[in-house]
């Protein structure tokens, strides 16, 4: 007996979160079953054909770097990690003729509360990320890459290492890939429990073997990244989208979604739904449809609120949510953000003060301590929400909460300060009465919190 | 540049050094420091926690200041700065998990093992800690054993079975 044997019965199989039939036209999660993550199965699914096409090994001439970047621009692919920056544009920022080393980094430090999509990609379809990264490396003339993986999913990190070994042995990574003159070395690194390392410059620091404290931007990573060299960083899901774009064309990818919001998106639906899980659906899918895929609100209860893009996104009340489509522009228009695609669903038994209490404690814990407004402000917010929840709130706390949040926003090096402030402001905007009730009556407005 | 004396420095086994070498090989020759997190993780997996003598050994191996190792060691949450039980169990209690009984799962474990949150059982077998988002929100309640094994959908029945299994494993000579 060893630890693996003892714990095997309790480990996720992916059945609930990934291998269900409730995706809509999936590209990244298509045809996965948990056993077919390896190279041979990936090849049987048409894997590495996009890379071969790019390298000119499928009969036609090789694509130029500009052609690859133009395809990605045309596809409307936007960064899947949270910011939604156009991927093709980001790639075009990399200096093309550069005398020194350049780097490619994949951000798999998936720690935004509510998000669990990259884990399933890396665990059940790791080669799609390797292929996407190799194509990106080709397009930007990069010869070395790293995939930085969240420390808590250590077994997924080991799975990715195994996939790297397979890809190297089969000549899809390394020197002269498939006999071409393109070479690309890819390695895996892991974090060890720091939410802040999901921020791209903190991740770079961590990759250099330091504390994960974000850097000032500018300079942006495209000019000063890992070891001070030009670096492009994309999210796991972004890279995973690339092979499909090359195989089917940028226009076809764009047509899967909405204008300016191309392709499919994986939404991690958690909280009060019947079937929490990852759902890969076209961008612009109406929220009620996504909710229905996840089995609706748990126990047939009424929907109260949704955090539509990970815990840093402002909460939206049910009335607004039921009218929006799930894409960058529509959610931004409703006053929140698509973020990482983490949809946290809350039913009518949930106290918003208690929910915010947990989130505020999280941001206080994860603030790296570098900037005063964030280091002190996240603690201040957390203590205030804490006392409101426990019946010690003061009437003046309402304005003070808003003021502290406002004074953090835009005054820190990275976005963690904003991420701590936005949920507070969202809650106050849409659920102010609940906070006031807590302060006045020293008790929750809702009957229970299961 | 390295001024570390080898006094009080732990000796590393050949096997450990081999694992270290595999990590440093990923990085440029002059950037060995990049492997510091991996090296500390390897030691924690082998020894349960990383002692000051082992931190020193890592600093020596990677040719970096001891304080730079210590900064990393104390910055990242999953490193054990104090000895923990044979099995360290972290339960996610962040909002998505809280909505699906994450807190109750943590409470149940503590009650079952007669420990406070963060505490270790008297026999040194289990340490129970809360955790932040582990990136498995659809599987909640989730917990992580010894930083490596994530367990999903942990109802109280499953926790009972898991604890029995771990205890049997821990008591094996």
């Amino acid at each position: 007996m060893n630890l693996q044997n003892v714990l095997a019965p309790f480990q996720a199989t992916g059945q609930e979160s990934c291998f269900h039939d409730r995706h809509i036209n999936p590209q990244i999660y298509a045809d996965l079953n948990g056993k077919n993550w390896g190279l041979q199965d990936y090849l049987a699914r048409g894997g590495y054909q996009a890379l071969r096409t790019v390298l000119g090994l499928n009969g036609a001439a090789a694509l130029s770097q500009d052609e690859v970047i133009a395809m990605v621009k045309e596809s409307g692919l936007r960064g899947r990690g949270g910011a939604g920056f156009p991927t093709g544009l980001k790639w075009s920022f990399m200096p093309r003729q550069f005398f020194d080393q350049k780097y490619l980094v994949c951000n798999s430090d998936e720690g935004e509360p509510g998000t669990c999509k990259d884990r399933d990609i890396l665990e059940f379809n790791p080669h799609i990320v390797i292929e996407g990264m190799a194509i990106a490396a080709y397009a930007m003339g990069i010869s070395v890459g790293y995939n930085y993986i969240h420390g808590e999913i250590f077994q997924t990190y080991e799975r990715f290492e195994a996939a790297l070994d397979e890809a190297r042995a089969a000549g899809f990574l390394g020197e002269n890939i498939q006999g071409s003159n393109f070479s690309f070395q890819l390695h895996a690194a892991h974090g060890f429990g720091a939410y802040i390392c999901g921020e791209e410059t903190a991740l770079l620091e961590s990759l250099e073997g330091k504390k994960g404290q974000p850097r000032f931007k500018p300079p942006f990573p495209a000019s000063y990244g890992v070891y001070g060299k030009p670096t492009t960083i994309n999210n796991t899901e972004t890279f995973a989208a690339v092979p499909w774009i090359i195989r089917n064309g940028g226009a076809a990818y764009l047509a899967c979604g909405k204008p300016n919001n191309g392709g499919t998106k994986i939404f991690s639906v958690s909280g009060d739904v019947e079937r929490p899980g990852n759902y890969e659906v076209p961008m612009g899918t109406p929220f009620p449809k996504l909710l229905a895929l996840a089995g609706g609100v748990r126990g047939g209860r009424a929907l109260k609120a949704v955090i539509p893009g990970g815990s840093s996104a402002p909460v939206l009340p049910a009335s607004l949510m039921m009218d929006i489509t799930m894409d960058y522009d529509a959610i931004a228009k409703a006053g929140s953000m698509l973020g990482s695609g983490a949809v946290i669903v809350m039913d009518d038994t949930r106290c918003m003060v208690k929910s915010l209490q947990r989130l505020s404690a999280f941001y206080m814990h994860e603030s790296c301590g570098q900037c005063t407004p964030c280091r002190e402000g996240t603690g201040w917010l957390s203590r205030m929400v804490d006392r409101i929840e426990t019946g010690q709130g003061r009437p003046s706390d309402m304005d003070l909460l808003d003021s502290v949040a406002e004074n953090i926003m835009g005054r820190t090096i990275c976005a963690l300060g904003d991420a701590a402030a936005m949920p507070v402001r969202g809650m106050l905007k849409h659920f102010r009465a609940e906070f006031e009730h807590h302060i006045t009556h020293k008790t929750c407005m809702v009957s229970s919190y299961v | 540049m390295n001024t570390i004396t080898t006094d009080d420095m732990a000796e590393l086994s050949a096997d450990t050094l081999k694992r270290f070498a595999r990590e440093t090989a990923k990085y440029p020759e002059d950037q060995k420091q990049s492997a510091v997190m991996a090296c500390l993780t390897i030691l924690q997996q082998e020894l349960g926690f990383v002692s000051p003598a082992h931190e020193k050994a890592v600093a020596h191996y990677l040719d970096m200041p001891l304080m730079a190792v210590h900064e990393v060691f104390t910055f990242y949450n999953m490193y054990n700065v104090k000895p923990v039980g044979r099995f360290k169990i972290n339960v996610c209690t962040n909002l998505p998990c809280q909505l699906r009984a994450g807190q109750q799962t943590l409470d149940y474990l503590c009650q079952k093992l007669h420990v406070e949150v963060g505490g270790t059982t008297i026999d040194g077998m289990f340490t129970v800690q809360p955790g932040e988002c582990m990136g498995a929100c659809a599987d909640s309640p989730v917990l992580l054993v010894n930083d490596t094994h994530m367990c999903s959908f942990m109802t109280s029945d499953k926790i009972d079975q898991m604890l029995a299994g771990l205890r049997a494993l821990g008591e094996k000579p």
Side-chain angles (χ1 to χ4, degrees):
Chain A
M1 277 310 244
N2 59 29
L3 196 58
Q4 178 59 45
N5 301 140
V6 172
L7 297 178
F10 311 111
Q11 299 211 277
T13 58
Q15 208 61 52
E16 295 87 350
S17 65
C18 187
F19 319 133
H20 49 70
D21 56 4
R22 301 184 301 279
H23 305 296
I24 300 174
N25 304 326
Q27 297 166 2
I28 297 168
Y29 284 166
D31 304 320
L32 303 181
N33 63 21
K35 293 187 186 72
N36 59 5
W37 65 271
L39 179 65
Q40 290 313 319
D41 289 305
Y42 184 63
L43 291 172
R45 290 197 296 276
Y48 289 110
Q49 285 306 321
L51 178 61
R52 290 182 59 87
T53 300
V54 165
L55 296 176
L57 303 170
N58 277 345
L63 298 181
S64 70
Q65 295 181 330
D66 286 330
E67 282 171 328
V68 176
I69 292 178
M71 270 172 111
V72 175
K73 276 186 177 167
E74 186 190 12
S75 74
L77 174 64
R78 293 170 64 175
R80 300 298 196 229
F85 192 81
T87 305
L89 190 60
K90 188 186 248 189
W91 289 8
S92 70
F93 291 157
M94 277 295 266
R96 205 67 66 78
Q97 302 300 330
F98 188 69
F99 63 96
D100 204 354
Q101 186 68 53
K102 294 185 282 190
Y103 292 98
L104 185 67
V105 174
C106 177
N107 184 346
S108 300
D109 193 32
E110 184 181 47
E112 176 75 9
T115 321
C116 52
K117 64 190 174 65
D118 297 339
R119 175 194 65 159
D120 282 356
I121 299 175
L122 294 168
E123 182 83 20
F124 304 125
N125 205 6
H127 285 285
I128 201 170
V129 180
I130 297 174
E131 185 179 10
M133 287 188 78
I135 293 167
Y138 173 85
M140 291 176 277
I142 298 172
S143 60
V144 179
Y146 295 100
N147 185 7
Y148 184 101
I149 300 172
H150 199 214
E152 283 85 343
I153 49 171
F154 202 84
Q155 289 179 310
T156 304
Y157 163 77
E158 292 174 327
R159 165 68 54 89
F160 192 77
E161 286 262 40
L164 285 177
D165 285 341
E166 283 187 326
R168 287 183 193 119
F172 290 111
L173 285 176
E175 296 296 325
N176 300 106
I177 290 174
Q178 300 295 297
S180 71
N181 57 8
F182 170 61
S183 300
F184 179 56
Q185 312 289 342
L186 180 58
H187 305 284
H190 66 78
F192 220 57
Y195 168 70
I196 189 64
C197 290
E199 197 280 339
E200 61 180 10
T201 60
L203 187 152
L204 296 177
E205 288 286 302
S206 184
L207 200 52
E208 292 181 4
K210 300 171 190 161
K211 289 185 290 185
Q213 291 191 319
R215 300 172 179 171
F216 266 113
K217 289 191 280 194
F220 289 93
S223 51
Y224 192 93
V226 198
Y227 313 128
K229 303 292 184 343
T231 302
T232 291
I233 310 179
N234 284 125
N235 172 254
T236 319
E237 187 186 349
T238 311
F239 284 124
V242 171
W244 196 97
I245 293 170
I246 301 295
R247 283 202 306 270
N248 300 279
Y253 188 81
L254 183 61
C256 296
K258 277 172 61 174
N260 197 33
N261 296 267
T264 61
K265 172 83 189 85
I266 302 170
F267 291 99
S268 304
V269 185
S270 66
D272 295 320
V273 289
E274 281 292 338
R275 294 187 296 242
N278 289 313
Y279 295 88
E280 185 177 356
V281 298
M283 273 289 185
T285 298
F287 173 73
K289 193 164 178 184
L290 180 64
L291 184 62
L293 291 175
V297 180
R298 184 158 50 160
R301 298 202 69 96
L303 180 70
K304 178 173 187 176
V306 177
I307 302 178
S311 66
S312 312
V315 67
L316 292 177
S319 56
L320 279 178
M321 267 325 277
M322 294 309 273
D323 286 336
I324 63 173
T325 57
M326 299 302 286
D327 56 87
Y328 295 101
D329 298 338
I331 298 181
K333 207 172 147 202
S336 188
M337 56 187 202
L338 181 121
S340 56
V343 180
I344 306 171
V345 176
M346 292 184 271
D347 71 25
D348 59 353
T349 66
R350 302 304 182 178
C351 168
M352 291 293 123
V353 183
K354 193 178 170 95
S355 302
L356 183 62
Q357 179 193 28
R358 185 62 190 85
L359 289 180
S360 293
F362 168 68
Y363 288 107
M364 175 177 72
H365 185 252
E366 298 297 338
S367 173
C368 80
Q370 194 175 205
C371 311
T372 310
C374 174
R375 183 186 62 241
E376 302 303 322
T378 52
W380 199 354
L381 288 175
S382 177
R383 287 188 297 276
M384 259 192 288
V385 180
D386 223 30
R387 72 178 179 235
I388 295 173
E389 167 63 18
T390 53
Q392 320 279 313
R394 306 158 196 163
S396 58
D397 283 348
M398 296 299 292
D399 289 339
L400 197 54
L401 266 179
D402 199 48
S403 161
V404 173
E406 193 190 332
N407 279 294
I408 297 174
M409 286 189 74
R411 292 182 169 80
T412 54
I413 289 175
C414 84
L416 191 140
D418 292 8
M422 283 191 291
V424 173
R425 305 195 84 188
M427 287 286 189
L428 288 180
K429 183 174 171 194
H430 296 294
F431 297 98
R432 194 175 181 90
E434 254 182 79
F435 287 76
E436 286 170 347
H437 185 97
H438 259 268
I439 292 171
T440 315
H441 301 280
K442 320 278 180 217
T443 173
C444 282
M445 224 166 121
V446 287
S447 53
S448 62
Y449 193 99
V450 187
Chain B
M1 81 151 217
N2 211 319
T3 54
I4 295 173
T5 61
T6 48
D7 306 343
D8 310 320
M9 196 172 90
E11 258 195 67
L12 302 174
S13 71
D15 192 47
T16 305
L17 289 171
K18 208 168 126 192
R19 294 181 72 189
F20 278 19
R22 189 167 178 266
E23 295 301 327
T24 49
K26 294 175 180 176
Y27 305 100
E29 199 100 347
D30 58 346
Q31 299 289 351
K32 278 195 294 184
Q33 172 168 348
S34 282
V36 63
M37 290 180 65
C39 292
L40 288 169
T41 304
I42 289 167
L43 290 176
Q44 180 157 309
Q45 284 171 357
E46 290 176 354
L47 307 163
F49 103 112
V50 184
S51 69
H54 282 93
E55 277 183 74
K56 202 166 182 180
V58 170
H60 185 73
Y61 181 85
L62 296 176
D63 198 20
M64 62 193 277
L66 179 56
M67 184 46 74
V69 174
H70 195 63
E71 269 189 351
V72 167
F73 184 52
T74 51
F75 183 86
Y76 296 90
N77 295 319
M78 289 164 67
Y79 292 114
N80 302 330
V81 290
K82 292 184 302 196
V84 295
R86 168 88 190 267
F87 302 109
K88 179 177 79 165
I89 304 174
N90 286 76
V91 183
C92 179
T93 57
N94 208 307
L95 182 61
C97 278
Q98 180 175 280
L99 296 170
R100 298 189 80 88
Q103 185 62 44
Q104 286 91 326
T105 305
L106 177 66
D107 293 344
Y108 181 80
L109 259 175
C110 288
Q111 178 206 332
K112 192 84 192 167
L113 294 169
H114 306 290
V115 289
E116 301 265 303
V117 172
T120 299
T121 53
I122 297 167
D123 60 3
M125 192 71 83
F126 297 103
T127 297
V128 183
Q129 298 175 346
E132 290 301 354
C133 186
M134 297 171 184
C137 315
D139 297 357
S140 61
V142 289
L143 54 85
L144 188 64
V145 179
N146 285 0
D147 313 313
T148 48
H149 289 69
M150 181 128 27
C151 300
S152 297
F153 307 110
M154 295 306 283
T155 55
S156 41
D157 281 354
K158 284 189 182 178
I159 289 175
D160 292 348
Q161 288 171 41
M162 178 191 78
L163 290 178
L166 291 176
R167 198 178 287 282
L169 180 65
E171 282 167 356
K172 218 171 56 172

